[in-house]
Amino acid sequence: MFPTGKPHISYSEVRNWKECAYRHKLQQIDKIDLFKPSPFLDFGTNVHEGCELFLKGEVLDRDRLLRNIENAWQEHGFDDPNWVSKQPGWYKYFPVQTWVQWANHMWDDVPIFLDEKFEGWSTFEAEEELYEDIENRQLKFKGFIDAIIKVPKKRGSGFKYWILDWKTANAYGWRTSKKRDPLVQAQLILYKSFWSKKHGIDPKDVACGFVLLKRGAKPGNVCSLVEVSSGPKATEKANKLVSNMISSVNRKMFLKNKNSCSFCEYSGTEHCR
């Protein structure tokens, strides 16, 4: 039995371990949950659901999704000055009406962006689950892919498949350092690797990227694509990262990474001083 007690791992666990193995232990093995509500989480969840409904050709029930956002703000007090005063220095407050406006702009722009960026595209699947064998390990890799679209090849017959992941971001998108971060890119590289094997599709016919949905960007400039290089070398590195994580956890090596303390929920608590 893997120390986490689960027969699978996910990218988020791999990333958590890479950033700080001790934090991974507290969260996944010791099961210490210090979850705190976040406006970014509630906002992102509902925006993602809206994009999923669009891709599946279902009715995008904006009223319900926007009501979900408003209810979350009321339940958790995200507009309460007392709650706002307790947030870290980097947090910039916006009222719930602004978040609602951002969500509408995102849903308005996604169809236009896809049509412009991927001519002739169609949905292959939205929110597809991965639960695939990890080579040479008695574990599964679990994940959910936000969107897989297929685009007719410009030359010859057949399709090019795109694995896309929606990421809400600030108005300026991501910094170059984040776009090039191997740990960030590993998410889609792993998704592509396991998805290609699952469907028996040549990896050369599969591309991947993050679609940034930018809060506060002007309509028409809300979406941008961050392509991820996912060739054989990148895939090998990503798979090695997974293998190293499994071996380290099995050997119960839980080293602290003090460079990851700034945004860690355990930092300064009784669990990690």
Side-chain angles (χ1 to χ4, degrees):
M1 180 67 71
F2 197 53
T4 62
K6 297 183 293 186
H8 59 260
I9 63 169
S10 65
Y11 162 75
S12 61
E13 289 182 51
V14 174
R15 177 171 182 166
N16 193 8
W17 167 82
K18 181 64 175 177
E19 289 176 340
C20 181
Y22 189 73
R23 182 174 67 200
H24 176 268
K25 171 186 178 293
L26 294 174
Q27 186 182 90
Q28 298 295 332
I29 298 176
D30 299 340
K31 311 297 183 184
I32 299 173
D33 185 3
L34 298 183
F35 171 78
K36 294 180 180 179
S38 163
F40 300 104
L41 179 59
D42 284 294
F43 177 77
T45 297
N46 286 284
V47 167
H48 273 65
E49 184 177 346
C51 293
E52 178 186 346
L53 292 171
F54 162 69
L55 286 173
K56 289 184 175 180
E58 300 179 15
V59 176
L60 202 173
D61 190 348
R62 297 193 185 211
D63 290 341
R64 176 180 63 82
L65 295 174
L66 295 177
R67 192 163 54 248
N68 287 346
I69 294 174
E70 292 170 343
N71 290 342
W73 257 245
Q74 184 174 4
E75 179 184 352
H76 302 304
F78 295 147
D79 273 338
D80 186 333
N82 185 48
W83 181 89
V84 174
S85 68
K86 296 177 181 178
Q87 302 315 299
W90 54 263
Y91 180 76
K92 188 174 182 180
Y93 168 74
F94 293 95
V96 66
Q97 292 84 1
T98 300
W99 294 79
V100 165
Q101 185 182 56
W102 290 341
N104 272 315
H105 289 168
M106 291 173 183
W107 294 325
D108 288 341
D109 274 22
V110 163
I112 300 171
F113 168 78
L114 291 176
D115 287 343
E116 291 178 349
K117 198 72 179 178
F118 307 102
E119 185 177 353
W121 73 276
S122 59
T123 300
F124 180 89
E125 187 58 273
E127 200 65 20
E128 180 175 344
E129 181 177 11
L130 295 173
Y131 202 71
E132 313 305 314
D133 291 326
I134 298 175
E135 189 174 355
N136 299 323
R137 301 286 185 175
Q138 293 182 334
L139 284 170
K140 299 277 190 178
F141 180 86
K142 182 178 181 178
F144 289 89
I145 302 177
D146 288 344
I148 305 100
I149 63 173
K150 57 182 184 179
V151 183
K153 291 183 177 179
K154 294 182 178 180
R155 295 181 180 178
S157 59
F159 296 93
K160 182 173 183 177
Y161 297 86
W162 277 87
I163 291 175
L164 302 174
D165 191 83
W166 313 112
K167 295 292 188 187
T168 57
N170 62 34
Y172 301 100
W174 285 354
R175 295 180 178 179
T176 302
S177 58
K178 185 170 183 177
K179 293 178 181 179
R180 296 177 178 175
D181 187 340
L183 190 55
V184 172
Q185 295 179 348
Q187 177 184 0
L188 293 190
I189 294 171
L190 290 170
Y191 283 1
K192 171 185 169 178
S193 177
F194 286 106
W195 184 84
S196 299
K197 291 178 182 177
K198 175 182 178 180
H199 292 279
I201 295 176
D202 190 336
K204 293 181 180 179
D205 291 329
V206 184
C208 49
F210 297 103
V211 178
L212 304 187
L213 306 175
K214 296 176 285 189
R215 301 182 301 272
K218 294 181 179 180
N221 193 39
V222 171
C223 304
S224 63
L225 178 67
V226 178
E227 294 189 42
V228 173
S229 177
S230 53
K233 288 186 177 180
T235 302
E236 182 182 356
K237 288 182 179 179
N239 285 326
K240 186 175 181 180
L241 175 65
V242 171
S243 181
N244 289 344
M245 178 266 191
I246 295 172
S247 297
S248 177
V249 174
N250 272 327
R251 294 200 303 269
K252 296 180 173 55
M253 296 177 62
F254 307 121
L255 300 178
K256 293 182 182 181
N257 178 10
K258 294 183 179 180
N259 292 325
S260 293
C261 291
S262 298
F263 299 99
C264 179
E265 63 269 33
Y266 300 105
S267 180
T269 69
E270 61 181 315
H271 309 293
C272 184
R273 297 192 180 279

